Amino acid sequence: MFWKYTRFELKLLVRNRKGWFIASFLLLFYLVFFMYYSQVEPPSLIEQKRIEKEEMNAIFEHVDYLREDIPEVAQVYEILLKQSSLLNFQVFYLGNGDDPIQYIENGLELNKLRLEVHELGNQGIPEHLIKSKEEILKEDALLHYIKDHQFVIETESFATNHFFTNAMQMMSGLLFLIIILLSGNELLLAERQHHTVVRGFPLSFMKKVTSKVLVQFVYIYTTLIIGFIIGAAYLVNKLETTDFSYPILIYQNGNYVAVSTFQYLLYMFIGLALVTVFLLYLSVLLNMLFQNAFANLLVGLAIFIISDFLMGAGLNANLLHPFRYIDMAKVLSGDLAIQLGNQVLDYGYALIWLCILTALVIVTIYGINKYMYIRKPKDTPLPKAF
């Protein structure tokens, strides 16, 4: 009976114009994104290093003026001299020197010196020219990964991975939330407003909910994966490369770790799968509470966004932080951990919290439905959820 009901739900979804619109969006999103952004090439590694040299020259102008009066600044100045020398050698090794091994060794030494300057409080360095500790740790993890795996500096996959991470950042978070809320804002309401022959199926409420969530999940996730494959195929053809070995940085256990592209994408799609399930069950709960498709979308967005407003107002919003974990791209990059001031917030931590939230939402759905049918009505019986 469960699978008969599920097949019927699938037929309804196929005939739903909103479902076709969402499916079309997911199928075309990555293709359009890669077509647009592939027109602009990311700066090469040697260009990035030259920009760092220019920033270093600007820092020297400020520090040189203060070093005679402030002993701490004089100490920072001596370290900056060593940094400048290492930067110049890195540019040389990337160009005429053609020595990637020495480039990596100099980079690792450079990052040690940068961390020393951080320990000294970045005395005398203008705030806008300070390289954050997170950036230093990211570059250090990347260099260690390249060294351990003996990768060639500036492989073609560097550009490819740049597009992949940007695309995932664009899809994850608020945009993905809106897509799922739009998809699920009538999970229960449609059946209440348009009765079907399966309304009287001898199937429990929770099994019907599970069936609806399953159908929505399969269609959303399938179109998402197919859309990514289409977009990736276009990108590979555009860049004329199939090399995806260049590492991508993720935040893990309080540190930055470099992983392969395949591992990063695997983490992302597993995370998005769990986010989809959570948001679909949340949509069911909102359907039960508000019985309004627009309210379902509005309240769902408010839960995600309101913590930013509270933090901006200086109020404690810790209870709402777990709802922000649906932004898998920011979780993996470590940006969310920095934003929320939670060093333990990494991929595994976010998945555990999403599982807990999903379980809580399911229990709440069950409890509300149970309460509606066991309490004694005062005047008229309460209607079924659907």
Side-chain angles (χ1 to χ4, degrees), residues 3-227:
W3 293 112
K4 287 183 179 179
Y5 186 86
T6 302
R7 286 196 296 270
F8 183 81
E9 284 293 323
L10 182 59
K11 291 178 182 178
L12 290 180
L13 179 61
V14 170
R15 296 178 182 179
N16 190 321
R17 291 181 180 178
K18 182 179 70 174
W20 279 105
F21 170 77
I22 293 174
S24 300
F25 179 84
L26 291 173
L27 287 171
L28 295 174
F29 173 81
Y30 289 106
L31 176 62
V32 174
F33 180 91
F34 291 140
M35 288 176 66
Y36 179 78
Y37 279 95
S38 61
Q39 306 303 319
V40 181
E41 294 185 6
S44 66
L45 191 55
I46 193 167
E47 289 173 347
Q48 294 177 31
K49 287 297 172 182
R50 283 171 178 161
I51 292 173
E52 288 183 25
K53 281 182 61 179
E54 293 175 2
E55 292 175 348
M56 180 64 71
N57 292 334
I59 290 173
F60 271 124
E61 291 181 7
H62 288 271
V63 175
D64 189 44
Y65 178 75
L66 299 172
R67 66 190 178 101
E68 294 182 1
D69 300 324
I70 306 173
E72 292 81 1
V73 175
Q75 190 175 356
V76 168
Y77 182 83
E78 294 300 322
I79 298 176
L80 290 175
L81 286 174
K82 297 177 183 178
Q83 290 185 25
S84 179
S85 175
L86 290 169
L87 263 176
N88 288 329
F89 275 115
Q90 279 195 304
V91 174
F92 172 74
Y93 292 133
L94 283 174
N96 297 330
D98 192 21
D99 190 344
I101 296 177
Q102 194 58 48
Y103 166 85
I104 293 172
E105 295 297 334
N106 283 9
L108 294 173
E109 181 63 27
L110 176 62
N111 289 329
K112 287 181 182 178
L113 294 174
R114 284 170 171 166
L115 291 174
E116 285 184 25
V117 173
H118 266 277
E119 292 175 1
L120 294 172
N122 294 293
Q123 293 286 335
I125 302 177
E127 188 173 347
H128 68 281
L129 293 175
I130 294 175
K131 195 176 184 71
S132 70
K133 193 173 182 179
E134 289 74 23
E135 289 182 78
I136 298 170
L137 293 175
K138 285 180 180 180
E139 185 177 338
D140 202 61
L142 191 64
L143 290 173
H144 274 293
Y145 188 93
I146 294 172
K147 180 182 179 181
D148 294 341
H149 293 79
Q150 298 181 348
F151 285 145
V152 178
I153 301 295
E154 279 281 79
T155 60
E156 292 179 343
S157 64
F158 172 78
T160 310
N161 296 348
H162 171 82
F163 291 117
F164 282 161
T165 53
N166 284 352
M168 287 301 176
Q169 289 169 4
M170 182 67 72
M171 171 59 74
S172 181
L174 185 60
L175 176 59
F176 197 66
L177 171 66
I178 293 173
I179 292 170
I180 305 303
L181 290 178
L182 278 174
S183 179
N185 66 349
E186 294 180 313
L187 277 175
L188 303 187
L189 296 176
E191 186 115 352
R192 287 177 59 89
Q193 296 169 358
H194 308 286
H195 295 176
T196 63
V197 294
V198 297
R199 180 177 173 84
F201 266 33
L203 205 62
S204 69
F205 171 78
M206 290 305 297
K207 286 185 178 180
K208 288 183 179 180
V209 167
T210 301
S211 174
K212 289 176 178 290
V213 169
L214 176 63
V215 169
Q216 292 285 335
F217 170 79
V218 170
Y219 115 83
I220 290 172
Y221 204 66
T222 301
T223 52
L224 180 68
I225 295 292
I226 294 174

Side-chain angles (χ1 to χ4, degrees), residues 133-134 137-138 250-257 331-334 337-338 342-349:
K133 193 173 182 179
E134 289 74 23
L137 293 175
K138 285 180 180 180
I250 65 170
Y251 183 76
Q252 192 175 76
N253 297 326
N255 294 306
Y256 290 97
V257 180
V331 169
L332 280 173
S333 68
I338 296 170
N342 185 357
Q343 293 186 350
V344 299
L345 173 51
D346 59 7
Y347 181 73
Y349 183 87

